[in-house]
Amino acid sequence: MAVPVSWVLSQPDLAVRLKGGAAGVGREIDLVVTSELESPFRWLSGGELLLTTGMRLPATPRDRLEYLRGLDECGVAAVGFGTGLTHAEVPADLTEAADAIGLPLFEVPLPTPFAAIVKRVTARLAQLQYDALLRASRAQPRMTRALVKAGAQAIVRELAGSLGAKVLMLDSAGAVTECHPGAPDDDLLRTVRAALAADPAASASSVHTDTSGMSITHQRISVGRSSYGDLVVVSPAPLGAVDQILLGHANSLLGLDFEKPARLQAAQHLLNSTALGLLLGTDADLTPAWAQLAQAADAQGRIRALVAECDTTGAVAGVRGALEGALARAGLPLFMHVLERRVLVVLPAAEGTALARRLTTEIEAATRKQVRLGLSGAHPPHDLTEMLANAELAASAAERGSPPAEFTELAGRSLLSFDATRQVLNAMADTMLTPLVDYDRTHGTDLLSSLRAFLESNGQWESAAAVTGAHRHTLRKRIATAQSVLGCDLDNARVRAELLLALLARGS
């Protein structure tokens, strides 16, 4: 980024006045320095606005001409001459020398401190740099979207608009495949091809200036060892650092765009071969299929199966569309299988639980009421069949419209999760526990809760007593009474198990 000399001259509060070298006011300043040296040339690198009060200005007109000529040869953009100290005004011969060379020379009056000029130019440079970065930050996503929507032609158009330059894309043979704005004339095309031929092995950016003063910047479009041509920018001036970043971004996008068909074609060939083997009934090699499924795994190489059991075909369509969209937005590969009214999706294991819950919220509320969801535990991909069975079991235990039921959380409640099993247990509870319920109601006792505490403590008197808040001797009497009322043997493990299931089913 640089500031034109004309911009400095246009700042009214600086009160600087151009005295000579009007032909060079278009020169650009990228740094402001002060110097009173007789020969400051060795410390200058070009683009400077040199401020001086002329303390050691050469005495003769001839030497002053050589002084300005030396500054011009170093690439100095302009000279600001402070008056009111060493010199009351800018020497006339210095003005004549500036006109002869075309080096802008302006007067800095005594009330204007050099520091004011330094601050103003530095602030302007910072603003231009920020504007350039902001422009780049907006242009990069536009180019990415352009690639998705319209390919290379849209990227070239976006890059040309962002840089304010002509952009060409040439294939490996040097033919123009894309150009914006407008097609290049024959002279420009010859110049571009000559620039590319000057260093055919170069893949990095290089800059050449043609006879018209235009700058030509090019980058090789390549991925790995594959080369697809060159991206060329023709601009009025060499590209700045931010412009180079935009050029590199466009180059990378084009490389990806060229590589995509090759990768898709290879994947399609592999899919075709595997499908053909399955249709022919041969022992097809499923190794590529397992390798493909491994793309869904987490960093530890594990996956989970999410199963949606749908009541209607409409619910199947709703679940399928919602999960496809949600996985795409999450940036995850889609592994989905639909069989009749069941939808299976494979997820990375590490984030599977949270991801499954988030994905299912994408399903419309009305559709979720027709769907039961189950999630398997974490396994390596080769355990897919086992994971599917576990996820189906979890789904069968889930409630419609609820978050996914996890297979790993069914332990201790799986029997009660199924309607048929629960009906049997409820009937058993009515048969076995009714005498005890009637006894508690008649005598004002609470034998039922004491029995449950005893059974859930696996017959441990101390633990059961702590739960009920009764002394263990009191609890022993209650359990003995309960055993008598029920007419069963609580020393029998099978009897205790049946009673506990009945109590759990009853919710007591």
Side-chain angles (χ1 to χ4, degrees):
M1 298 295 103
V3 175
V5 175
S6 57
W7 182 87
V8 179
L9 296 171
S10 68
Q11 303 304 298
D13 55 323
L14 295 180
V16 297
R17 293 184 300 165
L18 182 67
K19 303 297 289 186
V25 294
R27 296 189 183 194
E28 294 187 328
I29 302 165
D30 55 29
L31 181 66
V32 182
V33 298
T34 61
S35 175
E36 301 296 345
L37 298 175
E38 295 179 5
S39 300
F41 316 118
R42 59 181 294 187
W43 289 280
L44 301 173
S45 58
E48 296 93 351
L49 165 57
L50 178 68
L51 301 177
T52 180
T53 62
M55 291 177 60
R56 297 185 179 180
L57 188 68
T60 66
R62 179 177 179 179
D63 291 340
R64 291 175 180 175
L65 175 62
E66 292 303 317
Y67 171 75
L68 287 185
R69 184 172 286 123
L71 295 179
D72 183 58
E73 291 173 354
C74 291
V76 168
V79 176
F81 197 94
T83 57
L85 293 174
T86 309
H87 298 269
E89 59 184 17
V90 179
D93 54 274
L94 197 64
T95 298
E96 293 174 1
D99 283 331
I101 298 170
L103 176 64
L105 171 68
F106 58 80
E107 178 184 1
V108 182
L110 185 60
T112 302
F114 283 179
I117 299 176
V118 173
K119 290 180 180 179
R120 181 64 58 82
V121 174
T122 301
R124 178 60 176 169
L125 288 170
Q127 179 186 357
L128 292 174
Q129 185 70 20
Y130 173 78
D131 291 344
L133 290 172
L134 185 62
R135 174 170 53 86
S137 68
R138 292 172 175 170
Q140 285 180 320
R142 285 203 308 270
M143 284 191 282
T144 304
R145 289 192 295 268
L147 171 67
V148 174
K149 292 182 179 179
Q153 181 181 18
I155 293 178
V156 169
R157 183 174 60 251
E158 285 290 345
L159 181 62
S162 298
L163 301 182
K166 180 181 286 292
V167 177
L168 300 84
M169 191 169 73
L170 288 75
D171 62 18
S172 299
V176 178
T177 58
E178 301 291 347
C179 182
H180 190 84
D185 57 41
D186 292 340
D187 290 340
L188 176 58
L189 191 54
R190 279 193 295 269
T191 303
V192 168
R193 286 172 175 161
L196 298 177
D199 194 1
S203 59
S205 174
S206 57
V207 180
H208 304 268
T209 303
D210 67 7
T211 55
S212 66
M214 299 294 288
S215 175
I216 299 175
T217 308
H218 67 87
Q219 286 188 3
R220 182 69 39 81
I221 305 171
S222 60
V223 178
R225 296 183 178 181
S226 302
S227 178
Y228 301 102
D230 293 271
L231 185 61
V232 182
V233 177
V234 182
S235 53
L239 299 184
V242 176
D243 293 335
Q244 291 278 5
I245 291 174
L246 286 177
L247 174 58
H249 182 67
N251 192 325
S252 299
L253 291 175
L254 289 171
L256 292 174
D257 193 48
F258 278 114
E259 277 288 291
K260 180 174 61 177
R263 294 197 307 273
L264 290 177
Q265 188 178 49
Q268 186 67 53
H269 289 169
L270 181 60
L271 178 61
N272 294 345
S273 299
T274 303
L276 181 60
L278 292 172
L279 291 171
L280 292 174
T282 61
D283 293 330
D285 181 12
L286 296 181
T287 301
W290 289 116
Q292 188 76 7
L293 181 59
Q295 296 181 28
D298 60 14
Q300 285 72 44
R302 302 174 306 160
I303 59 176
R304 294 180 189 265
L306 175 65
V307 164
E309 298 283 1
C310 304
D311 294 341
T312 65
T313 54
V316 171
V319 169
R320 181 173 184 171
L323 295 182
E324 285 177 350
L327 285 169
R329 287 188 291 276
L332 294 172
L334 176 66
F335 289 88
M336 178 181 289
H337 180 69
V338 179
L339 180 61
E340 296 180 348
R341 295 183 180 178
R342 176 182 299 144
V343 181
L344 165 67
V345 173
V346 175
L347 305 173
E351 53 191 89
T353 301
L355 183 59
R357 290 178 177 271
R358 190 167 69 249
L359 290 178
T360 52
T361 60
E362 302 283 339
I363 304 172
E364 292 184 358
T367 301
R368 283 204 303 272
K369 294 179 180 179
Q370 305 177 54
V371 179
R372 291 174 297 154
L373 297 159
L375 183 67
S376 75
H379 293 272
H382 278 81
D383 292 344
L384 180 62
T385 302
E386 178 184 349
M387 279 186 288
L388 175 59
N390 293 347
E392 289 175 347
L393 183 60
S396 66
E399 295 183 10
R400 289 173 176 81
S402 297
E406 296 187 51
F407 178 78
T408 54
E409 295 183 356
L410 291 182
R413 63 180 181 90
S414 56
L415 287 176
L416 300 177
S417 299
F418 303 101
D419 292 338
T421 306
R422 193 177 184 89
Q423 289 175 9
V424 172
L425 292 175
N426 283 334
M428 185 175 68
D430 290 340
T431 300
M432 298 181 67
L433 300 177
T434 297
L436 200 60
V437 173
D438 292 342
Y439 184 91
D440 280 342
R441 185 184 302 114
T442 302
H443 296 85
T445 56
D446 193 12
L447 298 181
L448 198 65
S449 61
S450 297
L451 177 62
R452 177 166 182 167
F454 172 72
L455 294 174
E456 288 187 335
S457 299
N458 198 27
Q460 300 297 316
W461 295 105
E462 292 289 346
S463 300
V467 171
T468 59
H471 192 277
R472 64 178 180 276
H473 295 309
T474 303
L475 182 63
R476 283 179 183 273
K477 291 180 180 180
R478 291 179 182 175
I479 298 304
T481 303
Q483 182 174 248
S484 175
V485 171
L486 293 173
C488 64
D489 181 9
L490 290 179
D491 291 331
N492 188 308
R494 180 170 294 181
V495 172
R496 292 200 305 271
E498 290 181 353
L499 281 172
L500 180 58
L501 285 172
L503 285 166
L504 292 173
R506 188 177 184 277
S508 300

